[in-house]
Amino acid sequence: HFGEETHTVSPRVGGAALVGLLLHTFVDGVAIASAFQVSQPLGIFVFGAIFLHKLPEGLAISSLFLAAGQSRRAALGAAAMLGAATIIGAIATTTIAPLAHYGLALSGGVTLYVGASNLIPEFQGKGGWHHEFAFFGGCALFLVARAITWDVCPPRRQHRAICRMGAVGQAPFCPTGPSGRDGAPTAPLRTIRR
């Protein structure tokens, strides 16, 4: 936001924002863990992107709590809860199979929803081109990141083809096996005989 804004914030608003951000940060943890299960470079990329917006999230929830008349300790506790929710999301992804399988798609969908429902209407109502430039710059950054990680994280069809290749008489080698560990042999595929 640009310029001074004044709003009355009740403790109830701070609590509601905390619940919403806890869900959001849980999904952040799911995104990090599921991205690392796809490949290490993708995991590092997603971790970096999420890390960059953790500070603004902590500042946002702390500001809401302080504006609602809560203590600094309560504001710091709310910010710490957001960090804990991210860690819990990552741990849950490693233990709950559907989260591990669909986690990256879930977190991508949440990101698209937040962008479409909140960010795009916000900058459409503003004058000037700096918001649009930032939006399309972010889209271009995504395309650059995709081009960089394409060889490391190929599309699913290519990934299966890579996993089927192996030396004669050896189990196929998969760069990222079903368990997410580098070099894990794929269980459902048979040994290649020539």
Side-chain angles (χ1 to χ4, degrees):
H1 296 288
F2 301 96
E4 184 179 342
E5 293 186 15
T6 56
H7 301 282
T8 304
V9 180
S10 70
R12 201 167 156 191
V13 170
L18 178 61
V19 170
L21 281 174
L22 283 171
L23 179 62
H24 172 79
T25 55
F26 177 85
V27 174
D28 285 347
V30 170
I32 292 169
S34 57
F36 270 107
Q37 288 179 355
V38 171
S39 74
Q40 185 176 7
L42 181 64
I44 291 169
F45 178 73
V46 170
F47 174 81
I50 289 173
F51 178 79
L52 288 176
H53 84 272
K54 284 297 168 193
L55 182 63
E57 275 179 359
L59 289 173
I61 197 65
S62 298
S63 298
L64 275 173
F65 267 61
L66 292 173
Q70 301 286 336
S71 67
R72 286 185 178 185
R73 183 178 216 159
L76 184 61
M81 287 174 67
L82 296 181
T86 305
I87 294 168
I88 291 168
I91 292 169
T93 303
T94 61
T95 58
I96 300 171
L99 276 180
H101 191 72
Y102 300 109
L104 205 52
L106 171 71
S107 61
V110 168
T111 302
L112 289 174
Y113 171 76
V114 168
S117 67
N118 294 323
L119 298 179
I120 292 176
E122 180 73 21
F123 73 72
Q124 283 179 335
K126 307 277 185 189
W129 283 94
H130 58 280
H131 289 96
E132 286 84 354
F133 179 76
F135 176 77
F136 289 112
C139 293
L141 184 62
F142 164 76
L143 293 174
V144 168
R146 180 178 177 206
I148 291 170
T149 60
W150 187 263
D151 290 335
V152 177
C153 180
R156 200 67 172 154
R157 279 176 283 158
Q158 290 177 359
H159 180 74
R160 288 187 184 137
I162 291 168
C163 292
R164 285 186 170 87
M165 289 187 267
V168 175
Q170 292 180 343
F173 177 82
C174 187
T176 54
S179 63
R181 294 180 310 227
D182 287 345
T186 55
L189 301 176
R190 295 186 306 268
T191 301
I192 297 174
R193 299 186 201 286
R194 292 188 185 133

